[in-house]
Amino acid sequence: MSSSQICNVYQFQKELNEHYCNLLSTPTNIEQIPDDLELLQKIRDMEDTWDGYEVSRVSQDTLPDSVSDFTDWYKNLKLNYRNNVSYFFDYLSDKADTTEIAFYVCLEEQVDGHFDDVIAMSQLGLQGKPKLVIAENYWDEMGCGNLDDVHTQMFSVSANFFKEILKKGGIDLPNQIPYEALKNGNMLMMYGLRRRFIGRLIGAIGILEDTAPHRFAATVEGMKRCNIPDYVIRYHEAHSDVDSEHGAELLQGVILPIIGENKVLMKEICLGMLIRYRIALDYYASIYRWIKTLDRKHLNNYTQLIYS
């Protein structure tokens, strides 16, 4: 079997996802945190196969060699990213109905649950201002000390509202999500948990945060068009502004100061951005396919999404 056939299947990505979630489990579930050498070796082999596949999908011919080259390269990458996902977020903003928005938000919750932990892992080993920039980002994730403003808490409020929308519409989603969605979350956790991939994690978070305002703003517009209550929109509306600042801060305060110090690190940061870009394109395309084939009466024949 090819690496594509091995990695791009639900069960492969689900096994990785369960492993990462167990590693990041609350200490009160200490018994389920994996530490068996045979299992860890199996996961490492899976990661190596998957990583090799993702690296093979991106072009390294035009990677920048200097900080000035990187700036132009990144501007082009960000523009391409925006252009290639606009079809999905234009639909979300202008045409999606309440059920379709609920469908998207509930899926997002399933793949974004450990983002605060990923941010925490990204600052390990950094020094000086770059560490402070990510620390400020993490403090925002923590609601600046206010429990009601913790981003995962805010997201849960929004997702719980939309779960009820799906339930009232008779939509009972089965126990799977598209493998593209699992990859979207697994990539960040793999990069955070494997220290050698710290450069890729910083790059992936950098472009993720820098492009997030577009998708959050589109989601807010769609929600308001569908008359969703303000308290439900609160999480997404906050990210329309906050992530705009985070993206610029990560670029100026973390990425640009460190990439000139080591060419291997520069390459790894660029690879993280490129791989995140490719996985994100696949992810949004998979959601769009599911939405466009959404049959409200026979949904289970068409979808493979977690709903809890």
Side-chain angles (χ1 to χ4, degrees):
M1 294 177 65
S2 68
S3 57
S4 173
Q5 292 172 313
I6 294 171
C7 302
N8 290 335
V9 295
Y10 170 79
Q11 193 54 48
F12 182 95
Q13 293 296 331
K14 180 63 175 175
E15 185 171 352
L16 286 178
N17 185 261
E18 289 176 348
H19 176 74
Y20 298 144
C21 289
N22 285 337
L23 278 176
L24 296 175
S25 178
T26 172
T28 55
N29 293 335
I30 192 169
E31 297 90 346
Q32 73 184 47
I33 299 176
D35 196 46
D36 177 72
L37 285 177
E38 186 175 346
L39 172 61
L40 296 178
Q41 184 61 58
K42 178 185 177 182
I43 295 296
R44 175 61 66 92
D45 292 342
M46 293 172 68
E47 290 175 339
D48 288 344
T49 299
W50 179 28
D51 176 65
Y53 167 69
E54 296 300 340
V55 170
S56 74
R57 294 206 300 157
V58 302
S59 173
Q60 301 183 45
D61 296 337
T62 59
L63 292 184
D65 290 323
S66 66
V67 175
S68 59
D69 288 343
F70 172 84
T71 301
D72 292 336
W73 176 89
Y74 178 69
K75 285 180 181 178
N76 289 330
L77 179 63
K78 184 179 173 182
L79 179 62
N80 288 336
Y81 188 112
R82 172 70 174 262
N83 290 339
N84 285 320
V85 301
S86 287
Y87 74 94
F88 175 75
F89 291 105
D90 287 347
Y91 180 84
L92 206 66
S93 171
D94 301 335
K95 297 180 180 180
D97 63 26
T98 304
T99 301
E100 291 167 339
I101 293 174
F103 187 81
Y104 165 66
V105 171
C106 290
L107 177 57
E108 278 281 283
E109 187 203 26
Q110 295 295 332
V111 301
D112 199 28
H114 286 286
F115 189 69
D116 50 2
D117 291 331
V118 169
I119 290 293
M121 290 188 285
S122 71
Q123 60 83 36
L124 296 176
L126 288 174
Q127 303 295 324
K129 184 178 178 180
K131 197 179 191 82
L132 291 177
V133 168
I134 294 185
E136 182 179 353
N137 190 326
Y138 180 74
W139 189 234
D140 283 341
E141 290 289 329
M142 294 294 101
C144 298
N146 185 345
L147 183 60
D148 289 338
D149 293 334
V150 171
H151 288 188
T152 52
Q153 296 279 354
M154 293 168 65
F155 201 179
S156 292
V157 170
S158 182
N160 288 338
F161 173 87
F162 285 114
K163 288 175 184 178
E164 288 301 313
I165 293 290
L166 295 180
K167 189 180 297 184
K168 289 176 182 177
I171 298 176
D172 184 17
L173 304 183
N175 296 329
Q176 296 180 9
I177 67 175
Y179 74 83
E180 295 97 335
L182 287 173
K183 285 174 68 174
N184 193 55
N186 285 347
M187 175 200 65
L188 294 175
M189 290 193 283
M190 176 174 72
Y191 287 171
L193 290 164
R194 279 188 67 168
R195 185 67 184 157
R196 179 61 179 79
F197 287 145
I198 182 60
R200 296 189 196 182
L201 179 64
I202 291 171
I205 290 176
I207 193 168
L208 184 158
E209 293 276 48
D210 211 10
T211 56
H214 174 225
R215 62 186 175 91
F216 279 112
T219 307
V220 169
E221 288 179 14
M223 289 179 179
K224 288 184 175 180
R225 177 175 48 77
C226 293
N227 297 315
I228 302 301
D230 289 344
Y231 79 90
V232 178
I233 302 176
R234 182 168 170 258
Y235 166 80
H236 295 82
E237 200 157 36
H239 282 69
S240 299
D241 298 324
V242 170
D243 281 348
S244 179
E245 298 173 5
H246 287 170
E249 290 166 354
L250 286 169
L251 180 64
Q252 297 296 327
V254 179
I255 294 174
L256 290 178
I258 67 175
I259 58 172
E261 299 179 7
N262 186 310
K263 286 198 172 183
V264 174
L265 177 61
M266 181 184 294
K267 178 181 178 181
E268 287 293 301
I269 287 175
C270 292
L271 282 175
M273 290 179 167
L274 287 171
I275 292 170
R276 159 65 192 179
Y277 167 63
R278 288 299 302 267
I279 287 178
L281 294 187
D282 293 344
Y283 171 52
Y284 296 128
S286 74
I287 302 173
Y288 190 68
R289 286 196 304 271
W290 260 254
I291 286 176
K292 296 302 287 184
T293 59
L294 192 62
D295 183 325
R296 306 288 161 69
K297 294 181 180 179
H298 303 94
L299 186 69
N300 291 347
N301 294 331
Y302 292 92
T303 63
Q304 292 180 314
L305 294 174
I306 284 181
Y307 178 66
S308 57

